[in-house]
Amino acid sequence: MKVGLVLDNKCFNSISNNMLITVAEAKSFLQITGTTYDTLITGYCGYITAEINTYIGRTIESATYTGEVLEYESANFDLDENTPFDLASPQRTVQLKNYPIATVSGVVQASISYDGVALIPDDDYKIDVNNGTVYFYATPSDYQRKLLATYTAGYSTVPDDLKLVALMGVKDLFRSGGVTAQGDLNVTSKSVGDFSVNYSQVQNTKAYLEDNKGILSKYIKVGI
């Protein structure tokens, strides 16, 4: 009988509705047919998605973020004492929590406001859509947490290398709970005469993160 791995409730609370891989993709990777393990695999896919997003410090799947508070590296810039000004080069930068920023027909899907008043793209700020860095030409205050961003970010199609890492993670979780429906993912030895088989247990269910640092490092959140 398949024994499910017990996962921390805190991890499930942080699972995104969008997952890096689908249940169908995971089942194909595990060579599983039928629906016996669908609920278990769904939980594993969500858990692995949350684990990878936490590891790289951002959300990979495409989503819209509303009212994200922006803060400069050095806070307490008070608009009452420092009025906005325009210069030829940006004066301050902030980092959006997620990226790449979506564009539609060349239009960046992001808006920034201060105290309910929309700032003007290109005049007041510019966004690097690749890494989510906002360059301000005007300098609105972040002192009272009124500098807000609403934007759409992430990949509409999850990169193949990240999908593979997620699939490996699901495989490790599935193996850690016991034998598979195919009965071969955990096999360490077989005998032909008087047939016998031994099954191993995965001891480190986070090994897929360490083993794929080269891939994950490309997606780790950048700092400014």
Side-chain angles (χ1 to χ4, degrees):
M1 180 178 70
K2 182 74 178 180
V3 179
L5 179 70
V6 177
L7 303 177
D8 191 334
N9 288 333
K10 292 181 180 179
C11 294
F12 275 110
N13 290 337
S14 64
I15 289 174
S16 169
N17 289 328
N18 297 322
M19 296 187 289
L20 295 174
I21 52 176
T22 65
V23 173
E25 288 171 331
K27 288 172 66 175
S28 176
F29 189 74
L30 295 169
Q31 300 180 41
I32 291 175
T33 58
T35 60
T36 302
Y37 303 111
D38 280 11
T39 299
L40 184 66
I41 293 173
T42 298
Y44 287 166
C45 289
Y47 177 80
I48 291 298
T49 294
E51 285 282 284
I52 291 177
N53 286 343
T54 298
Y55 186 92
I56 64 177
R58 62 189 178 108
T59 300
I60 288 294
E61 319 88 79
S62 180
T64 298
Y65 305 90
T66 303
E68 182 176 302
V69 177
L70 303 183
E71 294 180 339
Y72 300 120
E73 185 175 352
S74 56
N76 301 330
F77 185 86
D78 193 341
L79 184 63
D80 293 334
E81 298 179 7
N82 301 273
T83 56
F85 57 87
D86 294 325
L87 293 177
S89 59
Q91 296 302 299
R92 290 192 170 218
T93 58
V94 298
Q95 180 70 53
L96 297 176
K97 293 180 180 179
N98 298 284
Y99 57 87
I101 310 303
T103 60
V104 176
S105 300
V107 178
V108 179
Q109 301 302 291
S111 61
I112 297 177
S113 65
Y114 171 74
D115 200 13
V117 178
L119 301 184
I120 302 173
D122 295 326
D123 286 346
D124 295 328
Y125 67 91
K126 187 176 182 67
I127 298 177
D128 186 326
V129 296
N130 294 314
N131 60 27
T133 302
V134 182
Y135 300 91
F136 283 99
Y137 295 93
T139 56
S141 172
D142 66 345
Y143 181 61
Q144 296 181 336
R145 300 174 65 82
K146 295 180 180 180
L147 184 61
L148 307 176
T150 294
Y151 62 98
T152 299
Y155 295 91
S156 56
T157 301
V158 178
D160 289 338
D161 53 357
L162 273 182
K163 276 196 172 188
L164 179 58
V165 175
L167 288 168
M168 293 300 295
V170 170
K171 177 181 176 181
D172 283 354
L173 287 177
F174 199 74
R175 290 177 61 190
S176 70
V179 300
T180 69
Q182 300 297 326
D184 58 4
L185 287 181
N186 294 25
V187 175
T188 58
S189 66
K190 291 183 179 181
S191 299
V192 177
D194 296 327
F195 180 80
S196 64
V197 60
N198 294 323
Y199 295 95
S200 65
Q201 294 291 312
V202 175
Q203 300 300 319
N204 181 9
T205 57
K206 295 183 183 294
Y208 75 98
L209 294 174
E210 296 299 318
D211 293 343
N212 293 285
K213 280 185 176 180
I215 295 175
L216 295 173
S217 63
K218 298 188 300 182
Y219 299 97
I220 290 178
K221 184 177 179 180
V222 299
I224 56 174

